[in-house]
Amino acid sequence: MHVNHDARERGEAARVDMPSDPSPTTLFDRRAWRLHRDRAARLAQGQAGGADFLHAEIADRLLDRLDLVNREFPVALDLGTRVGTLARALAARPGTERVFAADPSAAFMAAAPPPRVAADPELLPFREASFDLIASPLVLHWTADLPGALVQLRRALKPDGLLLAAMLGGQTLVELRTALFEAELAEEGGVSPRVSPAIELADAAALLQRAGFAMPVADSETITATYPDALALMRELRVMGETNALSARRRSFMRRATLARALRIHVEQFGDSDGRIPATFEILFLAGWAPDRSQPQPLPRGSATHNLADALKKPV
């Protein structure tokens, strides 16, 4: 596997017919999702560390962002901890007294450092004002009700506590999704649901503000990895625990002819000169603070000392 951190925008996003207005309770199969993570934990035990590169990379990038904040966080939560990579790094930071590792998968948590808590991000089992910091690496895109999950996270933070999260964006795996879409349409005359709803970067900060966070910030980065073929990518997605868990997903195996056509389309449309195929991961980073009186406050309406029209005038 080769990793390239430059953004690549090739192909168009696949369109998939989804049930109209899916409710949060039916969008994802929560049991299947937990089983996928349990399977990923078992598969990762036999790997040499490279197969789950994405989550390790995102943990590093969250830590880089945390280094920009000049303060300490005594009590922290690693939500979506997997094997506890981020939790261990947080515990080693100056001023940290305790880090809770939380994941819906018991198999993952067995390898994470204590204290450990079984927790689904859609229903957090924590009291209000429990944490100074909540860091969440690649788990919030599995919440059907993201605004509701953000409200729970804000409530679990102490006043002036920080949420720092990363989640997959809508352009993730656009190449694979396009190949599967076109192959299924050509071979079977229709497509099965494969694409989870995703927020756009332009909406991310607004969602944080709507959930009650102060000073919300959102940005995105693109990571591109290359693989020998689509089958290698699919195997790695299983190790990541990032395979399809939509409630409306097809439960039967993909037809052999459909898979063969998808592999061919993938190489023809996206393959490089060596025949390797890319996999794009769009990562949305969210940051917001639980409100506190010590934070900068907007001036009362009508108290501005400068006229907006003057501020917008071009210099002569």
Side-chain angles (χ1 to χ4, degrees), residues 216-236:
V217 177
D219 68 291
S220 68
E221 296 182 7
T222 300
I223 298 173
T224 302
T226 63
Y227 297 84
D229 52 47
L231 290 178
L233 169 57
M234 292 177 186
R235 286 193 294 269
E236 184 152 308

Side-chain angles (χ1 to χ4, degrees), residues 94-146:
T96 303
E97 298 173 3
R98 202 171 194 190
V99 179
F100 290 81
D103 200 280
S105 166
F108 267 139
M109 281 200 303
R116 299 182 286 257
V117 182
D120 188 306
E122 287 199 335
L123 188 61
L124 297 180
F126 305 109
R127 292 181 298 182
E128 292 191 17
S130 294
F131 304 104
D132 301 287
L133 168 70
I134 296 177
S136 179
L138 297 185
V139 74
L140 290 182
H141 54 272
W142 287 111
T143 58
D145 180 14
L146 180 58

Side-chain angles (χ1 to χ4, degrees), residues 38-53:
D38 286 343
R39 179 182 62 190
R42 294 192 299 270
L43 292 173
Q45 291 176 358
Q47 302 286 340
D52 199 11
F53 83 95

Side-chain angles (χ1 to χ4, degrees), residues 159-291:
D160 205 30
L162 174 64
L163 168 68
L164 191 59
M167 58 189 296
L168 295 179
Q171 292 303 303
T172 296
L173 299 178
V174 62
E175 305 91 352
L176 178 62
R177 287 159 35 197
T178 299
L180 291 172
F181 178 90
E182 294 185 8
E184 220 170 7
L185 194 62
E187 293 290 336
E188 304 179 28
V191 295
S192 58
R194 298 183 183 278
V195 183
S196 304
I199 64 169
E200 299 294 331
L201 176 60
D203 300 325
L207 281 178
L208 287 167
Q209 190 170 37
R210 173 182 165 188
F213 284 94
M215 299 175 286
V217 177
D219 68 291
S220 68
E221 296 182 7
T222 300
I223 298 173
T224 302
T226 63
Y227 297 84
D229 52 47
L231 290 178
L233 169 57
M234 292 177 186
R235 286 193 294 269
E236 184 152 308
L237 291 174
R238 287 167 65 91
V239 176
M240 292 181 184
E242 297 292 346
T243 48
N244 190 355
L246 290 167
S247 295
R249 72 192 183 282
R250 176 184 290 182
R251 308 305 171 100
S252 58
F253 290 108
M254 184 184 298
R255 296 180 187 177
R256 186 172 300 178
T258 303
L259 179 59
R261 183 182 285 262
L263 295 175
R264 185 168 65 252
I265 292 173
H266 207 163
V267 173
E268 291 174 352
Q269 293 193 19
F270 304 104
D272 62 19
S273 58
D274 296 325
R276 296 179 67 88
I277 53 95
T280 295
F281 298 92
E282 181 191 18
I283 313 299
L284 304 183
F285 292 92
L286 313 180
W289 297 83

